Amino acid sequence: MAPDSYVSYESPPPPIGSRRIACGRAFRLHRPQHTSRGTFMRLSRYFLPVLKETPSEAQIASHRLMLRAGMIKQASAGIYSWLPLGYRVLRRIEQIVHEEQQKAGHIPMLMPTLQSADLWRESGRYDAYGPEMLRVRDRQDRDLLYGPTNEEMITDIFRSHVSSYRELPMTLYHIQWKFRDEVRPRFGVMRGREFLMKDGYNFDLTYEDAMHAYNRHLVSYLRTYERMGLQAIPMRAESGPIGGDDTHEFLVLAETGESEVFYDSEITELTFGERKIDYESREECQAVLEEFTSRYARTDDTHVDTEFEEQVPEERRRRARGIEVGQIFYFGTKYSEPMGATVVDDQGNHVPVHMGSHGIGVSRLLGAIIEANHDDNGIIWPEGVTPFHVGIVNLKQGDEAADLACEQLYNAVVEAGLEPLYDDRSERAGAKFATMDLIGLPWRITVGPRGLKNGVVELTSRRTGESEELTPDQAVTKVAQIYAGKL
RNA sequence: CGGGGUGUGGCUCAGUCUGGUAGAGCGCCGCGUUCGGGACGCGGAGACCGAAGGUUCAAAUCCUUUCACCCCGACCA
């Protein structure tokens, strides 16, 4: 299925010409900055407020690096503005989630952030949810709430419009901002109060159908996380306030994780990889689920020492910490029954639908990815989510040969379908390298008069630090090859 | 919500104990010298010290109230 139903949120940067007028600057000495794909993304005209020192509020690596790399700015406790660089990554993650959901046959939509309290009174959760729920009142004294999740609302939509089993199975999802008034937000976007989440809801006629939806989600989540360069392990978990019987959480192993986890080390060998999957096939989805969930892997909520020892040989027992980046639930008729979401089956009976809900913490994924991908110098983006695919560093701004080579490289990279970031500032080499390392673009092309005399530029991997000298054409070709199949 | 802590230029902090009217480094602006891993020199701009009240001849500093943010715990995607 073509992932054609989502939109790109980012408009192209304002043309330099219009900025001239807006800024009242009559002249700019730069050469023309338009390419066939749009405006040059040059650092001297971008908004990338990097910090040399770490703001005192940040305790863990991802939070520290997101602040230093100019990705976010705290607006108040647990609430953040997404500055241009952070916004780019957020969008890429969002886009991967959209694509993988739609490949699995799930249908995108969008529900509001503010919900009516009446809907939540129907399910009984208005009173049950507690002070985590942000409650507001409008001018007519109506009770509203800033949604922490959307089971009630989606169930209401479903019951209003679907009445026949013939319309099932159906899975709807959206990616929307949520709010949970955590007592103690921390760790930047990993534990914010406002957060962006993909939440999806399946509607099925029978338990068996609903379990297929559950399995399908598990598969799609494995693929989603792998595309982001993450290993997220499905672990048996507690259902919490959503309720339900079957549930798995997806955890990324990291020392700064909020959950303690226990698992069989064999599980970290598993990858979904490039294999093909037919989402319609119950057998295939079921097989993947069994492959990935048969070994012991639990969060501390469901962990039992004796079972761990029985099922896992001592040398494979691992105890670690993990960041939760997603969760899938089957909860049957918990909402459909009280809220009257029924369909007519082939016998003419009105039966409540079987449901499940499935979430991916989109904004917190940035934190998780950085926790798993950084070093002392900064972030190291996996190719799948990097804000720019390659950084072009001009070591001698103003040198005619270097300037020209950089702009030609820029155009060639754009022609190859990739997005470069061109550091055209009049900084010293060290400052430019430090900035590139900090913001973590996985590939850097360094252009200087010294190399150009021999007709070469330098292509450097952020992850390994390895460099090689190539002609500009070769460098672009190589970068294009690296990204082929990863986007 | 319990316990602890911090609010001083954009950032990191000193100054508070022992009141006398605000400092440093980084960043920013200008000039010059530099220029392949966060350069150096000179000059400059920028803070009514979280807010409100009080004590005092005088408050960043002492007292009261209040707000915000951070950390530990409990809770949580």
Side-chain angles (χ1 to χ4, degrees):
Chain A
M1 174 171 190
D4 56 358
S5 315
Y6 61 90
V7 295
S8 171
Y9 288 0
E10 181 174 86
S11 4
I16 297 295
S18 69
R19 292 184 63 144
R20 271 184 212 164
I21 294 163
C23 300
R25 298 181 188 176
F27 301 103
R28 279 205 169 272
L29 298 177
H30 297 310
R31 291 182 180 81
Q33 302 191 350
H34 294 277
T35 69
S36 60
R37 290 270 185 136
T39 306
F40 252 56
M41 198 58 88
R42 37 172 96 233
L43 206 39
S44 66
R45 305 298 305 148
Y46 197 49
F47 180 54
L48 183 70
V50 300
L51 303 173
K52 213 164 179 176
E53 284 167 294
T54 304
S56 54
E57 72 216 51
Q59 303 297 316
I60 63 169
S62 60
H63 189 193
R64 210 163 56 225
L65 290 170
M66 287 182 80
L67 291 167
R68 285 198 52 212
M71 296 176 66
I72 53 171
K73 180 181 188 311
Q74 180 166 315
S76 66
I79 302 178
Y80 293 85
S81 294
W82 295 80
L83 306 184
L85 191 75
Y87 183 51
R88 276 189 161 257
V89 181
L90 188 68
R91 273 192 50 246
R92 287 213 197 269
I93 291 175
E94 204 180 351
Q95 182 172 328
I96 289 171
V97 172
H98 269 301
E99 288 175 5
E100 291 303 324
Q101 284 307 295
Q102 289 172 60
K103 283 179 194 166
H106 305 160
I107 305 168
M109 61 178 296
L110 186 60
M111 290 177 270
T113 53
L114 288 171
Q115 306 185 25
S116 159
D118 289 342
L119 214 46
W120 285 64
R121 291 196 174 102
E122 274 194 64
S123 71
R125 285 208 293 179
Y126 190 69
D127 296 323
Y129 216 95
E132 260 200 348
M133 178 186 282
L134 181 65
R135 295 151 206 266
V136 294
R137 190 162 282 174
D138 71 10
R139 65 198 298 165
Q140 316 289 356
D141 255 5
R142 284 180 290 238
D143 288 323
L144 299 170
L145 57 98
Y146 197 116
T149 177
N150 287 67
E151 279 82 6
E152 285 81 357
M153 184 166 283
I154 197 77
T155 304
D156 179 55
I157 290 168
F158 181 88
R159 70 181 172 187
S160 303
H161 300 291
V162 180
S163 50
S164 163
Y165 79 99
R166 290 170 186 273
E167 297 181 64
L168 305 184
M170 182 187 290
T171 295
L172 301 168
Y173 78 92
H174 74 338
I175 296 178
Q176 178 62 292
W177 292 94
K178 309 287 194 294
F179 196 92
R180 290 186 194 165
D181 198 0
E182 299 287 345
V183 191
R184 192 183 158 212
R186 63 184 119 172
F187 301 150
V189 299
M190 293 242 290
R191 177 86 183 274
R193 292 194 293 172
E194 188 184 51
F195 57 98
L196 187 63
M197 182 167 109
K198 170 261 163 183
D199 46 324
Y201 306 88
N202 66 286
F203 302 90
D204 288 283
L205 184 61
T206 65
Y207 170 78
E208 290 71 27
D209 291 350
M211 287 317 291
H212 177 233
Y214 185 91
N215 299 347
R216 203 173 58 230
H217 277 89
L218 184 130
V219 176
S220 71
Y221 280 25
L222 290 172
R223 292 174 51 130
T224 302
Y225 296 123
E226 282 190 18
R227 275 187 66 184
M228 296 173 190
L230 282 178
Q231 177 171 50
I233 304 171
M235 300 199 181
R236 192 193 293 184
E238 285 284 349
S239 58
I242 309 285
D245 309 321
D246 286 282
T247 179
H248 282 91
E249 282 182 348
F250 288 76
L251 288 112
V252 174
L253 298 177
E255 283 174 23
T256 45
E258 73 276 47
S259 314
E260 189 169 28
V261 298
F262 301 83
Y263 62 95
D264 181 338
S265 65
E266 276 193 345
I267 209 161
T268 57
E269 317 280 315
L270 298 174
T271 56
F272 189 83
E274 299 295 311
R275 70 179 94 170
K276 298 271 180 264
I277 182 91
D278 176 4
Y279 278 113
E280 298 289 310
S281 163
R282 295 182 182 220
E283 295 71 28
E284 286 186 29
C285 291
Q286 176 72 27
V288 173
L289 174 117
E290 283 167 14
E291 178 185 354
F292 279 83
T293 62
S294 57
R295 291 174 186 75
Y296 194 99
R298 299 191 193 174
T299 61
D300 51 2
D301 297 329
T302 55
H303 171 72
V304 181
D305 271 329
T306 53
E307 292 179 34
F308 193 36
E309 286 161 21
E310 279 165 24
Q311 295 174 30
V312 187
E314 186 168 5
E315 68 275 11
R316 299 212 314 253
R317 281 180 220 148
R318 297 287 184 279
R319 174 185 184 151
R321 301 198 70 81
I323 301 165
E324 194 194 323
V325 293
Q327 187 160 11
I328 53 177
F329 297 96
Y330 164 75
F331 49 68
T333 60
K334 178 181 161 83
Y335 297 92
S336 56
E337 210 148 2
M339 294 184 67
T342 60
V343 292
V344 177
D345 68 13
D346 59 359
Q347 307 294 313
N349 302 314
H350 291 262
V351 295
V353 289
H354 287 258
M355 295 174 58
S357 71
H358 317 275
I360 292 179
V362 173
S363 49
R364 92 169 352 204
L365 268 167
L366 273 90
I369 291 169
I370 295 171
E371 286 299 322
N373 296 281
H374 70 273
D375 63 16
D376 290 345
N377 295 325
I379 302 167
I380 307 171
W381 291 114
E383 274 89 356
V385 297
T386 183
F388 296 96
H389 299 114
V390 58
I392 299 171
V393 172
N394 188 344
L395 288 179
K396 188 152 188 176
Q397 201 63 37
D399 178 278
E400 204 170 320
D403 290 356
L404 185 64
C406 283
E407 296 190 9
Q408 286 173 344
L409 262 172
Y410 188 101
N411 289 327
V413 169
V414 170
E415 287 304 317
L418 299 173
E419 296 180 301
L421 177 65
Y422 173 27
D423 189 348
D424 65 330
R425 297 172 304 163
S426 303
E427 291 287 337
R428 298 166 66 87
K432 293 190 175 193
F433 292 146
T435 298
M436 280 294 170
D437 288 349
L438 175 62
I439 68 174
L441 307 188
W443 297 95
R444 184 184 83 207
I445 300 176
T446 309
V447 179
R450 209 169 73 190
L452 287 177
K453 277 186 190 134
N454 304 317
V456 297
V457 297
E458 193 177 77
L459 178 65
T460 307
S461 159
R462 173 68 179 85
R463 193 171 289 277
T464 67
E466 287 167 13
S467 290
E468 60 181 321
E469 295 199 328
L470 300 167
T471 68
D473 283 350
Q474 287 170 336
V476 172
T477 303
K478 173 137 192 200
V479 170
Q481 280 167 356
I482 288 163
Y483 279 101
K486 285 194 177 175
L487 297 180

